[in-house]
Amino acid sequence: TYTFIIQNLGNTAADATDNVAITDTFNPVLNPIAVTFNGTAWNTTTDYTYNNLTGAFATVPGKITVPAATYTQDPATGAWTVNPGVSTLTVTGTV
């Protein structure tokens, strides 16, 4: 299982128009694989591509979205805390 934790520290969400994509080559090659994004199952070709001969994996650009970070200020100290927006991509498979 590979888990990609994608964090956004900015004040603007990463949406489909930003064309965020994740690529990786799994070695050893996984076959078959199952992919979820934030707990929702993804489908090959519409959400990602995978070459089960080379292990090359890529999400379709724009399918990865990540909410904006939130910021809170401590009223006593004035210190700011950044809570990143988070999305999770999980790839599971058999070696």
Side-chain angles (χ1 to χ4, degrees):
T1 299
Y2 291 86
T3 304
F4 299 88
I5 307 295
I6 308 137
Q7 295 186 339
N8 180 359
L9 298 173
N11 64 355
T12 304
D15 61 22
T17 63
D18 293 311
N19 287 323
V20 174
I22 292 180
T23 61
D24 202 348
T25 300
F26 301 126
N27 184 9
V29 173
L30 304 174
N31 193 19
I33 68 169
V35 179
T36 62
F37 182 69
N38 293 330
T40 300
W42 269 12
N43 298 306
T44 188
T45 66
T46 56
D47 299 312
Y48 68 93
T49 59
Y50 183 64
N51 183 319
N52 62 1
L53 298 177
T54 66
F57 172 85
T59 62
V60 171
K63 290 292 185 170
I64 299 287
T65 58
V66 188
T70 58
Y71 305 87
T72 54
Q73 186 176 27
D74 184 309
T77 66
W80 285 91
T81 302
V82 178
N83 298 304
V86 176
S87 289
T88 304
L89 176 72
T90 304
V91 180
T92 58
T94 303
V95 176

